[in-house]
Amino acid sequence: MCIFCKIVEGVIPNKTILENDEFLAFEDINPQANVHVIVIPKVHVESFAEVSSDTMKNMTPFIQEVTEKLSLETQGYRLITNIGKDGGQEVPHLHFHILGGQSLRGL
């Protein structure tokens, strides 16, 4: 079981930002910006390369809700997903990083 699946199962604690039946958003434990949130589907999906269009269709409004909750929609934010080893994916579970709360031009 991957680390994100353990977070979904409650085995590893997290600081939840938003949650529904399908998705979980929580604070990154090693933030790279003033705001750094991870958004994952609760069902294990290896990466963006394998995600279904239905999951993405539902994940998009969830991510938008997270950014609204964090008041990032007016100042802007960065949304990142890494795919595979060469793409920098460290956890083999689809996840998006939301970075914001500061200027990200130098990051």
Side-chain angles (χ1 to χ4, degrees):
M1 181 181 296
C2 81
I3 191 168
F4 289 164
C5 287
K6 290 178 182 177
I7 289 171
V8 169
E9 292 294 319
V11 175
I12 297 174
N14 73 89
K15 292 184 180 177
T16 298
I17 301 298
L18 189 65
E19 181 175 14
N20 67 18
D21 291 341
E22 294 180 273
F23 306 104
L24 175 64
F26 55 93
E27 291 181 9
D28 192 295
I29 61 169
N30 186 24
Q32 303 299 305
N34 290 342
V35 174
H36 188 165
V37 173
I38 303 291
V39 179
I40 62 172
K42 290 185 173 180
V43 173
H44 185 84
V45 176
E46 191 87 9
S47 75
F48 184 78
E50 298 177 9
V51 70
S52 73
S53 59
D54 284 339
T55 297
M56 287 309 303
K57 178 181 73 173
N58 295 334
M59 195 171 200
T60 297
F62 181 81
I63 290 171
Q64 291 168 335
E65 187 177 351
V66 171
T67 62
E68 289 171 14
K69 182 172 183 172
L70 297 170
S71 301
L72 297 174
E73 72 281 359
T74 56
Q75 293 296 342
Y77 56 92
R78 188 173 291 165
L79 182 64
I80 304 164
T81 189
N82 301 316
I83 299 114
K85 179 183 168 191
D86 286 349
Q89 185 176 6
E90 295 179 13
V91 178
H93 186 122
L94 173 65
H95 59 287
F96 285 85
H97 298 262
I98 299 172
L99 300 169
Q102 68 185 73
S103 174
L104 299 172
R105 290 179 189 227
L107 289 178

